Amino acid sequence: MIPKKMQIDITKIEQGAIVNLYDLDLSKIVGNKTIIRFHNGVNELRRPITWQGNIYKPYPIKAQGFERSGQGASNRPTLTASNTGGLLNGLIANYEGMIGAIVTRHEVLVKYLDAVNFENGNKYADPYCEVVSNYVIEQVKQQTSQFVTLELALPCETDGARIPARIIIADTCSWIYRSANCGYTGGAVADEFDQPTNDITRDKCSGCVNGCKLRHGEHGILPFGGFPTAARIK
């Protein structure tokens, strides 16, 4: 919902400048509260913009596809950001492409920004006067040493789901040995190198298809937790 004051402002012939501020919330995939705030610019004092008491650091970004439409399929906006220093490469590598992370876009008229952004303060400062849009990262659309492009989707379209639900690993089972997913409950079979053993303390699955066959049979139904055919896709 657009605040009433902003509704009045944006209908004027001469509108004030609007800044777009972004929150990248990694909390759900990192496990603790981790929010990165950024904006493609600085304030009047040539310092990071402050909005609602939060600091939005200047970072080279290009946002596209955020246009609103009441017809047809919803858009898939993208954020293209500089990859200088490898910051995004590190986040993508460590947090599974950041898939599912929440991106919040704040549209704010400059006239309502916090007073600390201006040399002489701001009598119009209003932390509640903004338009907020929430998205989730759908995929890493492009990744190079210079920049990264992230494709976003509306939360209602993903319903918090990830496809695939697990990381695709070709030759390694992701199940815990003897867990419900593994399904094996018998005696000792082999060690972690698939060498036969009768010692239950040395009984460990190698995590490979061969280890699964040793326990469930050469021609049995294997509950293997990997994706063997993925290695054949080029």
Side-chain angles (χ1 to χ4, degrees):
M1 180 180 293
I2 301 177
K4 187 173 182 178
K5 284 199 293 186
M6 283 194 70
Q7 290 180 19
I8 296 173
D9 285 324
I10 62 180
T11 56
K12 293 179 179 178
I13 295 177
E14 293 185 5
Q15 298 178 12
I18 296 177
V19 295
N20 294 309
L21 310 169
Y22 298 93
D23 299 347
L24 174 58
D25 190 346
L26 299 167
S27 302
K28 288 185 177 180
I29 56 180
V30 173
N32 52 58
K33 189 173 183 179
T34 303
I35 301 176
I36 300 173
R37 298 182 171 91
F38 53 94
H39 165 67
N40 192 16
V42 291
N43 63 20
E44 181 183 280
L45 305 175
R46 309 299 297 173
R47 298 172 184 167
I49 285 181
T50 299
W51 174 240
Q52 298 174 337
N54 297 312
I55 296 176
Y56 288 79
K57 295 183 178 180
Y59 201 84
I61 58 172
K62 181 179 180 181
Q64 294 178 298
F66 283 92
E67 297 79 8
R68 295 182 177 87
S69 175
Q71 299 179 344
S74 61
N75 55 343
R76 284 288 192 276
T78 59
L79 281 180
T80 300
S82 170
N83 198 24
T84 304
L87 170 63
L88 292 177
N89 272 347
L91 291 173
I92 290 169
N94 292 329
Y95 302 115
E96 302 180 10
M98 298 190 290
I99 307 303
I102 299 172
V103 174
T104 301
R105 181 191 189 214
H106 304 262
E107 297 175 81
V108 186
L109 282 165
V110 171
K111 67 180 290 185
Y112 297 127
L113 289 175
D114 295 19
V116 295
N117 292 288
F118 306 91
E119 184 175 359
N120 299 315
N122 181 17
K123 65 180 181 180
Y124 299 107
D126 186 342
Y128 302 103
C129 208
E130 64 174 347
V131 177
V132 178
S133 305
N134 292 310
Y135 299 86
V136 295
I137 295 179
E138 179 98 335
Q139 65 172 321
V140 178
K141 196 168 186 179
Q142 192 171 4
Q143 180 179 5
T144 71
S145 58
Q146 285 78 40
F147 65 88
V148 167
T149 299
L150 303 171
E151 183 174 283
L152 312 180
L154 294 173
C156 61
E157 295 181 325
T158 61
D159 196 28
R162 294 183 54 186
I163 302 175
R166 295 183 288 118
I167 300 175
I168 295 178
I169 303 176
D171 301 318
T172 305
C173 179
S174 57
W175 307 140
I176 296 175
Y177 183 40
R178 293 180 179 272
S179 68
N181 289 321
C182 168
Y184 183 72
T185 58
V189 177
D191 61 18
E192 58 189 309
F193 303 107
D194 289 337
Q195 297 301 310
T197 181
N198 293 320
D199 186 349
I200 195 66
T201 62
R202 295 180 56 199
D203 183 55
K204 297 179 181 180
C205 184
S206 63
C208 300
V209 172
N210 187 55
C212 202
K213 287 182 177 181
L214 289 174
R215 290 159 176 84
H216 297 280
E218 180 69 25
H219 303 290
I221 297 176
L222 305 180
F224 186 67
F227 299 83
T229 58
R232 302 174 188 175
I233 300 175
K234 295 183 180 180

